[in-house]
Amino acid sequence: MAFGDNKLGVHALCWVGGWSETEARRAIEGTARVGYDLIEIPTLDPDTIDVGMTKRLLEEYKLAGTLSLGLSPDMDISGSDPEAAKRGEAELMKVVAIARDLGASHITGILYSGFTKYNQPATQKGLEQSVTILRRVCEAALPSNITLGMEVVNRYETNILNTAAQGVAFCEMVGVPNAKVHLDCYHMNIEEADAEQAIIQTGDRLGYFHTGDSHRGYLGSGSIDFIPIFRGLARIGYAGPITFESFSSEVVDAKLSNILGIWRNLWTDGEDLVRHAKAFTEAQITSAAATLRLSSHQPKGVLQNG
Ligand code: MN
């Protein structure tokens, strides 16, 4: 596997706001038809996921699946309430069991704290508790080859991991090989000084990547410069999944849309949106691979021939 072999994915919320059989079929069938390799299924409420039905549909359409979530504040494993931490660990273990039964390769998102705007900084004790719990969760997931992607998000969604450097340090503290950093260029645009350098410094700790523009609408229609981002991914030889995330008030998941603050209608046609995102991403991958090739080879010209 090398950069360019990446599985391309799409978040289910580009298609549907729930996960009934009709909704799951619509999302999975559409994702496969547009030509993606994987679908990311939100599991903020894992009890609503019918694992057998989902597995059958993924097999029917030959699509890979990944799961993503953020812990609700009453399941915060980084806080001072031991009961909440217990609930959070049980929730993460529940999602590991779902991923194992589905054959999902990754569980990603805000796994290490509540998915909420904090009104105070994280504490050292809370951080250490989060590391200890995630070590147990990663160890439970390891035999099923499940990678846990600690998603680095902006300051309004957690107080633990806001930068790639914090993500790397956190995974090193967890110390289990399937603890990986998940970067998302929407969040990087808010928090990183230099997105390309942040990707390079994450290096082989990077296990999952989200694309999204500054307003979370059509890729390339916002203010993010994607060229250095894909160049960074090429330079580290990133071969993992690249999943497109976009949200509009057109498709609503009552829980997720509200936490993310999706109040505006940025698109109406999810299929057109994801079709465009796939072409855009493939073009960026081709450009970044060419940059790497051109910058690492001596040009053949008269100066070399003389
Ligand atoms: Mn994301």
Side-chain angles (χ1 to χ4, degrees):
M1 286 283 284
F3 176 72
D5 300 330
N6 311 75
K7 276 192 171 149
L8 299 188
V10 67
H11 192 282
L13 207 60
C14 295
W15 298 100
V16 293
W19 205 250
S20 66
E21 182 158 3
T22 309
E23 289 166 314
R25 182 175 289 279
R26 191 163 164 258
I28 289 172
E29 184 276 324
T31 301
R33 179 159 40 78
V34 173
Y36 281 95
D37 308 301
L38 76 85
I39 186 164
E40 182 178 318
I41 303 164
T43 46
L44 274 112
D45 205 345
D47 295 331
T48 63
I49 304 288
D50 180 336
V51 177
M53 173 273 283
T54 305
K55 190 174 167 63
R56 273 196 310 279
L57 285 172
L58 289 173
E59 283 170 357
E60 182 179 340
Y61 292 97
K62 299 181 174 54
L63 209 60
T66 60
L67 306 178
S68 62
L69 71 149
L71 291 173
S72 64
D74 69 338
M75 296 181 183
D76 187 354
I77 63 169
S78 72
S80 56
D81 176 0
E83 292 304 313
K86 261 185 217 162
R87 283 192 293 270
E89 181 169 358
E91 184 85 346
L92 291 170
M93 291 296 191
K94 192 188 278 182
V95 178
V96 168
I98 293 174
R100 181 198 62 211
D101 295 346
L102 268 183
S105 56
H106 292 69
I107 300 168
T108 76
I110 305 164
L111 312 176
Y112 47 81
S113 78
F115 176 19
T116 189
K117 163 74 174 74
Y118 281 84
N119 295 312
Q120 67 289 316
T123 64
Q124 188 62 28
K125 191 161 174 272
L127 175 76
E128 284 166 12
Q129 176 179 274
S130 175
V131 165
T132 303
I133 290 172
L134 274 163
R135 188 176 298 135
R136 292 197 285 264
V137 175
C138 286
E139 281 166 352
L142 200 54
S144 310
N145 286 320
I146 300 163
T147 295
L148 277 90
M150 314 298 165
E151 184 168 11
V152 176
V153 299
N154 73 71
R155 64 190 73 185
Y156 308 109
E157 297 181 21
T158 186
N159 58 2
I160 297 261
L161 300 185
N162 300 140
T163 68
Q166 291 175 321
V168 171
F170 188 88
C171 288
E172 281 170 3
M173 285 169 77
V174 173
V176 186
N178 58 342
K180 294 281 191 179
V181 179
H182 166 184
L183 294 179
D184 176 326
C185 59
Y186 162 79
H187 298 289
M188 297 179 85
N189 177 59
I190 298 171
E191 301 292 353
E192 301 289 352
D194 181 331
E196 182 176 5
Q197 277 308 311
I199 291 167
I200 290 170
Q201 283 159 12
T202 304
D204 61 10
R205 273 287 185 199
L206 185 63
Y208 202 75
F209 197 82
H210 271 164
T211 53
D213 215 320
S214 53
H215 47 27
R216 310 201 96 155
Y218 274 73
L219 289 182
S221 73
S223 63
I224 291 185
D225 182 0
F226 285 92
I227 290 175
I229 286 166
F230 278 88
R231 197 168 54 210
L233 294 173
R235 287 202 163 132
I236 64 169
Y238 176 67
I242 299 175
T243 296
F244 171 59
E245 261 191 334
S246 182
F247 306 101
S248 168
S249 57
E250 183 72 18
V251 179
V252 173
D253 170 335
K255 222 174 187 175
L256 186 54
S257 300
N258 290 344
I259 308 173
L260 293 174
I262 309 306
W263 318 134
R264 283 188 289 153
N265 195 317
L266 285 151
W267 44 262
T268 50
D269 183 346
E271 177 155 348
D272 185 62
L273 172 89
V274 303
R275 201 175 282 285
H276 166 269
K278 182 165 178 285
F280 186 94
T281 304
E282 286 168 340
Q284 293 287 336
I285 288 173
T286 303
S287 300
T291 301
L292 208 66
R293 217 168 37 245
L294 291 168
S295 62
S296 63
H297 286 79
Q298 287 298 318
K300 293 214 170 29
V302 287
L303 283 175
Q304 282 71 42
N305 296 338

